[in-house]
């Protein structure tokens, strides 16, 4: 039976435990502080669950301390996926209870860490200082490792040398079904990283990273790989061709079934694409979405280079086309990453925080030299800043590309049907390299044939 708290929060059952009588006043306090209804509901629900756990643990109201929320959240993490606001919500609850004098005030002192937590802290320090991983990666890995150590060793001493492959497999088999496939793969990545760290530190007898199971995550499992020919015939004959819509659907499915066209290729077909005399069909496939060299030239000519923003945009687009850098790599570039002189290149920190050096063409180098002489904005470190001197945002980059695409479409009408992104410029660079390699290979073959 549902329970309504303070006429605004509906719980599936009435609160129970030592905090049951305080749930309603706590909800009113949150409402008076201006929290949204969603936030109030989430905090009240967490408070009710916390009270129920206190009852299970036999904790009286006056015995609640700041250590209980920490223990409860560790217990809760084994049942459901933690929410980033859980810690703050329980802190709000304890502050409310202390303010009302329901529980005694106490000084927040550092609690003694369990052996599992100490090992987890050491691993976290290794990821941050030794491996230099991103904060988001560390935040994803650490809870899994803490849960693994607590599941295997509990509150007792952690002896990694006692770990075996069965411990690893059992933990993954227990946790993976509760998680989304992508998060389950993150769990296995975290375990492999930790077990490699343990082996590196000499804490395990064997490298157990190889024992971590692989989490299968096949996409589109429900779609069959192929449809039998008789079923295709049944599908085609089931269409009512006496109507214009039926004739259209029959033609589309026939093209897909007989010629193997993609859905996008069939959708963009025009009457001019059909050569009735020779019986040929011109199809614009995936490569048709690539930006051609003529379109690139029109895009580069679009920015007004009499303005500071136009010179920035021209240099930005030119460097993106010539180097094929990703969007995050382009917006993250700093002035010191451009190395001029002999062997000119741009230093990039890419995926996985891996550093690589990409050569800069002479034409691009001349534009970058001129751009680096421009007056600096902000702290002077960002290579392509916005008007305030900060890094360009994703939306800012897309805005400038769309603006210049519209201008370029006047000289290059094919641009009207295309969307320009940094990722598409990256593909354009890759296709240019591929075609250049093909031409070079063909030239070598022709030259060799002439000498034979």
């Amino acid at each position: 039976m549902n329970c309504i708290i303070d006429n605004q929060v509906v719980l599936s059952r009435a609160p129970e435990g030592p905090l049951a009588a305080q749930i309603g006043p706590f909800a009113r306090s949150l409402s008076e502080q201006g929290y949204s209804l969603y936030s109030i509901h989430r905090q009240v629900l967490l408070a009710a669950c916390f009270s129920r756990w206190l009852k299970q643990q036999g904790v009286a109201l006056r015995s609640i301390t700041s250590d209980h929320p920490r223990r409860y959240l560790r217990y809760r993490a084994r049942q459901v996926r933690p929410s980033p606001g859980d810690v703050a919500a329980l802190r709000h609850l304890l502050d409310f209870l202390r303010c009302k004098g329901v529980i005694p005030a106490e000084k927040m002192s550092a609690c003694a860490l369990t052996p599992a937590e100490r090992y987890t802290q050491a691993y976290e320090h290794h990821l941050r200082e030794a491996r230099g991983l991103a904060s988001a990666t560390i935040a994803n890995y650490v809870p899994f490792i803490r849960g693994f150590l607590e599941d295997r060793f509990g509150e007792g001493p952690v002896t990694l040398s006692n770990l075996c492959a069965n411990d690893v497999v059992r933990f993954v088999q227990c946790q993976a079904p509760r998680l989304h496939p992508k998060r389950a793969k993150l769990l296995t990545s975290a375990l492999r990283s930790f077990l490699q760290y343990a082996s590196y530190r000499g804490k395990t007898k064997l490298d157990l990273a190889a024992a971590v199971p692989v989490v299968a995550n096949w996409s589109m499992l429900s779609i069959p790989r192929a449809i039998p020919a008789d079923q295709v015939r049944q599908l085609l004959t089931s269409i009512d061709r006496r109507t214009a819509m039926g004739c259209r659907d029959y033609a589309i499915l026939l093209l897909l079934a007989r010629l193997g066209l993609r859905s996008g290729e069939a959708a963009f077909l025009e009457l001019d694409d059909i050569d009735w005399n020779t019986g040929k069909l011109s199809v614009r496939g995936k490569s048709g979405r690539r930006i051609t060299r003529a379109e690139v030239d029109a895009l580069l000519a679009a920015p007004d280079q009499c303005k500071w923003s136009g010179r920035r945009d021209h240099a930005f687009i030119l460097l993106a086309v010539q180097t094929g850098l990703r969007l995050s790599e382009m917006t993250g570039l700093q002035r010191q990453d451009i190395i001029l002189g002999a062997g000119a290149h741009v230093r990039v920190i890419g995926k996985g925080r891996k550093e690589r050096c990409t050569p800069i063409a002479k034409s691009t180098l001349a534009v970058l030299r001129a751009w680096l002489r421009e007056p600096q904005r902000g702290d002077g470190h960002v290579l392509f800043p916005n008007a305030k001197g900060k890094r360009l945002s994703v939306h800012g980059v897309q805005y400038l590309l769309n603006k210049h695409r519209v201008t370029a479409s006047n000289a290059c009408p094919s641009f009207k049907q295309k969307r320009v992104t940094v990722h598409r410029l990256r593909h354009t660079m890759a296709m240019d390299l591929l075609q250049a390699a093909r031409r070079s290979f063909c030239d070598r073959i022709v030259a060799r044939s002439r000498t034979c």
Side-chain angles (χ1 to χ4, degrees):
M1 182 177 179
N2 291 342
C3 176
I4 302 178
I5 305 295
D6 196 35
N7 295 322
Q8 56 182 341
V9 178
V10 180
L11 301 180
S12 59
R13 56 176 172 173
E16 53 185 277
L19 300 180
Q22 304 300 324
I23 299 297
F26 178 57
R28 283 192 294 274
S29 171
L30 294 174
S31 180
E32 292 170 357
Q33 294 177 55
Y35 283 92
S36 66
L37 184 59
Y38 169 78
S39 180
I40 294 173
H41 182 275
R42 183 178 58 80
Q43 295 194 53
V44 168
L45 178 60
L46 185 64
C49 295
F50 178 51
S51 180
R52 194 177 307 120
W53 177 81
L54 292 172
K55 178 183 177 181
Q56 295 172 357
Q57 300 297 314
V59 179
L61 181 60
R62 301 291 295 180
S63 301
I64 298 175
T65 66
S66 56
D67 183 52
H68 288 110
R70 181 180 61 85
R71 290 169 53 193
Y72 168 69
L73 291 176
R74 202 163 59 233
Y75 159 81
R76 182 181 174 85
R78 302 191 193 107
Q79 315 300 321
V80 296
R81 181 178 177 180
S83 173
D86 287 351
V87 175
L90 290 184
R91 186 168 63 246
H92 294 162
L93 176 62
L94 288 193
D95 290 343
F96 167 78
L97 295 175
R98 291 195 184 101
C99 183
K100 294 295 183 181
V102 177
I103 63 175
E106 64 175 7
K107 291 183 179 181
M108 300 296 290
S109 58
C111 301
L113 298 178
T114 64
E117 289 172 336
R118 284 199 298 272
Y119 264 93
T120 304
Q121 277 194 355
Y123 170 65
E124 181 180 357
H125 182 268
H126 168 76
L127 294 181
R128 180 173 289 107
E129 302 300 330
R131 298 201 46 199
L133 296 188
S135 299
T137 304
I138 297 174
N140 281 322
Y141 279 16
V142 167
F144 288 131
I145 302 309
R146 183 187 301 114
F148 171 65
L149 295 177
E150 291 175 348
D151 177 77
R152 174 60 180 82
F153 301 104
E155 300 287 340
V158 174
T159 309
L160 296 181
S161 59
N162 292 341
L163 285 176
C164 62
N166 185 56
D167 297 328
V168 178
V169 173
R170 180 184 57 80
F171 180 74
V172 173
Q173 289 178 341
C174 178
Q175 296 295 323
R178 307 176 184 176
L179 304 172
H180 186 277
K182 290 185 178 179
R183 189 152 183 84
K185 292 175 75 69
L186 193 62
L187 162 66
T188 56
S189 299
L191 274 179
R192 290 190 190 97
S193 172
F194 175 74
L195 293 173
Q196 289 170 353
Y197 160 75
S199 176
Y200 165 74
R201 295 293 302 272
K203 301 295 184 180
T204 57
K205 300 176 183 177
L206 301 173
D207 185 1
L208 296 175
V212 179
V214 176
V215 177
N217 183 22
W218 296 289
S219 60
M220 298 183 291
L221 288 176
S222 60
I223 300 179
R225 289 184 176 274
I227 302 176
D230 57 336
Q231 293 184 8
V232 174
R233 285 192 293 269
Q234 292 176 12
L235 176 63
L236 292 173
T237 55
S238 67
I239 300 175
D240 183 6
R241 298 165 61 186
R242 292 173 295 182
T243 64
M245 188 176 295
C247 290
R248 180 205 62 186
D249 296 345
Y250 180 83
I252 292 175
L253 292 178
L254 193 63
L255 287 173
L256 297 178
R258 296 288 184 264
L259 301 183
L261 298 187
R262 300 181 178 92
S263 59
E265 295 170 343
F268 284 101
L269 281 177
E270 299 178 356
L271 289 176
D272 293 340
D273 295 328
I274 304 175
D275 189 340
W276 300 102
N277 296 324
T278 61
K280 292 182 179 180
L281 187 68
S282 300
V283 180
R284 290 182 291 273
K286 283 186 173 181
S287 60
R289 293 176 293 180
R290 180 173 64 90
I291 301 175
T292 64
R293 177 48 56 182
E295 292 168 341
V296 169
D297 293 339
L299 187 65
L300 288 170
D304 182 3
Q305 297 192 45
C306 294
K307 300 179 180 178
W308 176 87
S309 60
R311 294 190 293 274
R312 177 203 62 188
D313 296 350
H314 176 77
F316 182 95
I317 296 171
L318 181 61
L319 185 64
V321 171
Q322 190 258 299
T323 60
L325 299 185
R326 299 179 178 90
L327 174 57
S328 60
E329 296 169 345
M330 287 293 300
T331 57
L333 285 177
Q334 298 188 355
R335 287 174 171 260
Q336 63 187 19
D337 295 329
I338 303 299
I339 310 301
L340 304 176
H345 63 274
V346 54
R347 187 178 66 89
V348 183
I349 305 297
K351 283 188 174 181
R353 300 182 65 83
K354 294 181 179 178
E355 181 179 332
R356 71 179 191 277
C357 297
T358 303
I360 301 176
K362 290 184 178 179
S363 57
T364 306
L365 187 60
V367 173
L368 288 177
R369 287 182 187 275
W371 172 245
L372 290 174
R373 289 194 295 267
E374 292 280 342
Q376 300 181 9
R377 298 197 176 188
D379 58 10
H381 295 309
V382 181
L383 180 61
F384 298 115
N386 58 19
K388 297 180 179 179
K390 304 293 184 181
R391 283 179 51 174
L392 282 169
S393 66
V394 174
H395 299 294
V397 172
Q398 196 54 55
Y399 170 78
L400 70 88
L401 290 177
N402 286 336
K403 180 179 68 174
H404 298 314
R405 178 193 63 82
V406 172
T407 304
S409 63
N410 296 327
C412 197
S414 60
F415 249 149
K416 296 180 180 179
Q417 307 298 327
K418 293 186 178 180
R419 180 170 180 264
V420 181
T421 63
V422 173
H423 189 70
R424 189 159 290 180
L425 295 177
R426 175 177 168 85
H427 277 217
T428 299
M429 185 276 297
M431 291 302 298
D432 286 347
L433 287 178
L434 180 62
Q435 291 176 358
R438 286 175 177 172
R439 288 193 296 268
S440 177
F441 176 76
C442 293
D443 291 344
R444 289 199 300 270
I445 293 297
V446 171
R448 182 172 297 179
S449 63
R450 290 174 178 172
T451 58
C452 294

